[in-house]
Amino acid sequence: MKRRNLFEKIWDEHLVAELDGGQSLVHIDRHLIHDLTSPQAFAGLEEAGRKVRNPELTFAVSDHMVSTRPGRSTESVPGGREMLLALRSNARNSGITHFDIEDRRQGIVHVAAPEQGIILPGMIAVCGDSHTCTLGALGCWAFGIGTSEVEHVLATQTLVVTRPKSMLIEFHGAPAAEVTAKDVALHLIARLGVKVASGFAVEYGGDYVKGLPVEARHTLCNMGVEMGAHGAMVAPDRITLDYLAGRPFAPRITAELESCWLNYASDEGASYDRIHSVELAELEPQISWGTNPSQTIAVNGVVPPLPDDPREAAAMHQSLSYMGLRAGERLEGMPVDNVFIGSCTNGRLSDLSAAASIIGSKRVAPHVRAIVVPGSSQVRRQAEELGLDRIFMDAGCEWLESGCSMCVGMNGDYVGPGKRSVSTSNRNFEGRQGSKARTHLASPLTAMASALAGEIADPRQFGAGK
């Protein structure tokens, strides 16, 4: 019998038909929709006279255009009202479960769905959002799709795809305690580049991943799309099963189901189309300097020199110009204006706990606006039960409601022109957090250290990891 890797096992179980042109039709187990990319798909569905085929397999979450301000409503974000109302109406009319603004289960779709037990090992899950790869942390193939594909899945519960190749990325060595999954993800992209996984479904492996909590696996998988991956996943194991036990939408885990889920792990000796190995033992906390996640260095490092290749040099010059930096410049000690702790990358309870752990009696620098945005309403409640909200507010942070917030800069939370931000989100593209905003990607530890110092700071100077 052929030894198969995790992706191959999922693919074989979901293949419906081979199509012309090298494409395939696969069954979709879970379809997640949100306010930003679904209204057009429903409009297309109505125009074609079709209905949602499997509303019980579709879940809607209001997140992108949701305000994080107290007392928020559908009207809070200019321009968002129509999208939020459309999602509400479409979900209700189609019989789709909807985590609306006031629902206790509301949050960023990539945070709320797994914490509710909607995503399970061996599934194929899609959503009209590129960071759907986050969900691969639970041992499934999950990826973002376009609006026309959202309509196709709504109508048929299937999707036409080109089968990706498989890639294994193995992490070796144990990083220091102050080095988080976010640092590992940024280092990985900096080393391999933003295109290395284009056309590949990526599986993360190695001793580092085997010992990683599920929430940290979510962070690692979340950044997979930033190197072009068509899904990033971790094989299900006991840690996965423990995470899923008792979740509202997850089935009761019987011995038979446990055996089924664990069988999705790659077979011993399974082959991949490509394998990369990454050493972590000497890794330091990371921070991005440029306008894509691969432009990342150690937080105490310096911006690299311009490359010899004229085209690469021109691209780097553009990044440096936008960010207001020079080659050879040191980032540590550079004043910052904003700090954002949240997003589907780092808005989970463990992220907030890590950020709070280095505050002690210190306060955020007077010139810094620091906002902490839980990834879901559930995370917010759990954090408040632990007293984290009080720690953040006593330090001078703003404690807000859950949502995408300052990750995407379209819902009232944004960074001003020319302002410098240290952000735990996943993208530092030009204008991502607001027009002409300068974004440095980092872990919750580095972000909070920078908020306290008022400048880009090494979290180790604030006791991180001790």
Side-chain angles (χ1 to χ4, degrees):
M1 181 180 292
K2 181 181 183 296
R3 295 173 178 174
R4 299 179 296 168
N5 61 47
L6 168 58
F7 169 73
E8 290 172 330
K9 291 181 178 181
I10 294 175
W11 177 271
D12 290 347
E13 289 189 1
H14 290 77
L15 179 64
V16 176
E18 299 287 4
L19 307 176
D20 294 337
Q23 293 190 301
S24 305
L25 190 69
V26 296
H27 178 263
I28 303 300
D29 298 298
R30 292 289 185 272
H31 187 198
L32 307 176
I33 59 176
H34 59 72
D35 44 296
L36 194 61
T37 58
S38 68
Q40 305 92 325
F42 277 98
L45 208 64
E46 182 176 1
E47 186 176 343
R50 309 184 75 172
K51 295 184 177 180
V52 178
R53 180 181 176 87
N54 289 108
E56 75 280 8
L57 303 182
T58 309
F59 292 82
V61 186
S62 301
D63 59 2
H64 279 69
M65 300 302 290
V66 169
S67 170
T68 60
R69 300 291 136 185
R72 64 186 180 181
S73 72
T74 307
E75 318 290 333
S76 299
V77 177
R81 177 178 182 275
E82 292 75 13
M83 292 180 179
L84 292 171
L85 289 180
L87 182 62
R88 186 177 299 167
S89 173
N90 290 327
R92 182 179 62 245
N93 295 339
S94 302
I96 294 170
T97 299
H98 179 202
F99 303 159
D100 208 343
I101 295 175
E102 300 302 328
D103 194 298
R104 289 174 58 84
R105 302 166 294 184
Q106 183 272 340
I108 306 171
V109 63
H110 313 311
V111 177
E115 74 183 7
Q116 291 299 319
I118 293 169
I119 306 301
L120 304 173
M123 284 184 167
I124 295 182
V126 296
C127 175
D129 188 294
S130 59
H131 290 100
T132 305
C133 52
T134 309
L135 309 174
L138 292 171
C140 66
W141 183 32
F143 52 93
I145 58 178
T147 296
S148 62
E149 293 174 309
V150 171
E151 181 181 341
H152 190 282
V153 178
L154 287 172
T156 67
Q157 205 60 37
T158 64
L159 187 66
V160 177
V161 296
T162 299
R163 175 175 175 152
K165 298 178 181 178
S166 61
M167 176 184 290
L168 175 64
I169 298 178
E170 290 186 301
F171 296 102
H172 302 290
E178 69 272 15
V179 174
T180 71
K182 180 62 167 293
D183 299 302
V184 171
L186 287 171
H187 171 68
L188 174 66
I189 301 167
R191 180 183 158 184
L192 299 182
V194 295
K195 298 180 180 178
V196 67
S198 296
F200 287 86
V202 171
E203 178 181 341
Y204 295 121
D207 291 341
Y208 171 72
V209 172
K210 290 178 181 176
L212 213 55
V214 168
E215 292 199 353
R217 295 178 182 181
H218 277 123
T219 299
L220 198 58
C221 290
N222 174 275
M223 298 290 287
V225 72
E226 306 305 333
M227 56 182 183
H230 195 171
M233 60 194 94
V234 175
D237 56 13
R238 293 286 173 186
I239 295 175
T240 315
L241 301 185
D242 289 343
Y243 175 89
L244 289 170
R247 302 272 169 185
F249 286 87
R252 187 173 68 85
I253 303 177
T254 62
E256 183 179 8
L257 183 58
E258 181 177 300
S259 175
C260 173
W261 283 352
L262 293 177
N263 190 50
Y264 284 109
S266 296
D267 294 332
E268 188 71 28
S271 61
Y272 297 82
D273 294 297
R274 192 174 297 175
I275 297 177
H276 291 279
S277 296
V278 179
E279 178 59 52
L280 300 178
E282 303 299 324
L283 188 62
E284 296 182 285
Q286 304 285 295
I287 192 165
S288 71
W289 57 263
T291 55
N292 75 60
S294 76
Q295 294 173 325
T296 288
I297 56 176
V299 69
N300 56 1
V302 297
V303 177
L306 289 170
D308 294 332
D309 181 89
R311 293 184 61 183
E312 293 180 6
M316 180 171 171
H317 179 76
Q318 169 64 25
S319 294
L320 291 174
S321 177
Y322 182 85
M323 293 296 291
L325 297 172
R326 300 185 305 277
E329 194 166 13
R330 187 179 179 86
L331 292 187
E332 189 177 7
M334 186 165 292
V336 300
D337 305 289
N338 292 77
V339 166
F340 168 52
I341 297 175
S343 83
C344 59
T345 316
N346 284 127
R348 297 175 179 81
L349 185 62
S350 55
D351 299 312
L352 306 191
S353 298
S357 71
I358 63 170
I359 292 178
S361 59
K362 297 178 283 296
R363 287 187 56 81
V364 171
H367 66 279
V368 174
R369 181 192 178 203
I371 67 172
V372 182
V373 185
S376 72
S377 297
Q378 177 170 304
V379 169
R380 192 174 195 274
R381 290 193 299 275
Q382 291 173 326
E384 290 176 349
E385 289 171 3
L386 295 174
L388 301 184
D389 58 325
R390 180 51 54 190
I391 294 174
F392 288 127
M393 290 189 286
D394 287 348
C397 298
E398 296 178 41
W399 175 247
L400 303 180
E401 300 283 349
S402 61
C404 293
S405 185
M406 201 178 275
C407 173
V408 69
M410 59 169 51
N411 42 44
D413 294 331
Y414 60 90
V415 178
K419 300 294 184 182
R420 196 172 297 281
S421 165
V422 177
S423 174
T424 65
S425 52
N426 40 51
R427 284 184 173 155
N428 52 350
F429 303 159
E430 292 188 18
R432 172 73 177 183
Q433 289 193 292
S435 176
K436 299 181 181 177
R438 293 166 171 169
T439 300
H440 296 274
L441 302 176
S443 73
L445 287 172
T446 300
M448 181 52 71
S450 300
L452 299 173
E455 57 190 30
I456 292 175
D458 189 332
R460 292 170 293 192
Q461 303 302 319
F462 288 80
K466 294 181 180 177

